[in-house]
């Protein structure tokens, strides 16, 4: 069964893509969600496992709220306030959040990755 992660933009997708196995599907909202885009996401994802990974800003929180209603069983992955969105989040922090979400078997750890304390 496919696993999906919804992010806001293509740079977010590129950032997360480098850290995950290709079998994980990463789809973008492109920063907006209208009825057509939301319906397209619903058709693509259907009843598959889905995670929401949005920026920690007002736009990201608004998009997460809409997606939470559309996908009530979705898992949530968060970045910290202060990071410049998902794309500006350090790899180590994203990896720790993916591990917290239970996706460790799909993580492609960078060669330079070192273990650091989890918060």
């Amino acid at each position: 069964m496919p696993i999906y992660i919804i992010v806001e933009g293509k740079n977010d997708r590129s950032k997360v893509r480098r850290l995950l196995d290709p079998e994980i599907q990463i789809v973008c909202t492109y920063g907006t969600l209208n009825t057509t885009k939301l319906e397209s996401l619903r058709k693509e994802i259907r009843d598959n496992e889905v995670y929401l990974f949005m920026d920690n800003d007002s736009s990201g929180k608004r998009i997460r709220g809409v997606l939470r209603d559309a996908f009530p069983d979705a898992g949530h992955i968060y970045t910290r306030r202060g990071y410049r969105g998902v794309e500006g989040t350090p790899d180590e922090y994203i990896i720790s959040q993916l591990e917290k979400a239970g996706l460790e078997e799909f993580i492609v750890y960078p060669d330079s990755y070192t273990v650091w304390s989890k918060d």
Side-chain angles (χ1 to χ4, degrees), residues 40-58:
S40 173
L41 286 171
R42 280 190 185 135
K43 283 181 181 177
E44 181 175 355
I45 295 170
R46 293 171 288 191
D47 292 329
N48 292 304
E49 188 173 352
V50 63
Y51 294 86
L52 309 179
F53 193 12
M54 311 291 121
D55 294 348
N56 191 3
D57 60 12
S58 60

Side-chain angles (χ1 to χ4, degrees), residues 13-83:
R13 180 177 54 203
S14 295
K15 176 79 171 193
V16 176
R17 169 55 50 221
R18 291 185 301 108
L19 300 172
L20 287 170
D21 188 278
E23 74 181 85
I24 301 291
Q25 305 297 311
I26 303 172
V27 294
C28 296
T29 66
Y30 296 105
T32 60
L33 268 181
N34 57 34
T35 306
T36 305
K37 180 65 178 174
L38 191 55
E39 198 52 42
S40 173
L41 286 171
R42 280 190 185 135
K43 283 181 181 177
E44 181 175 355
I45 295 170
R46 293 171 288 191
D47 292 329
N48 292 304
E49 188 173 352
V50 63
Y51 294 86
L52 309 179
F53 193 12
M54 311 291 121
D55 294 348
N56 191 3
D57 60 12
S58 60
S59 175
K61 289 175 183 177
R62 181 185 54 76
I63 291 170
R64 184 184 295 274
V66 171
L67 290 172
R68 183 177 336 171
D69 291 343
F71 301 100
D73 295 329
H76 293 267
I77 303 171
Y78 295 93
T79 187
R80 277 193 181 149
R81 188 178 297 191
Y83 289 145

Side-chain angles (χ1 to χ4, degrees), residues 84-98:
R84 201 176 49 77
V86 172
E87 70 179 272
T89 300
D91 289 352
E92 293 84 4
Y93 191 80
I94 292 176
I95 288 169
S96 74
Q97 296 305 298
L98 293 170

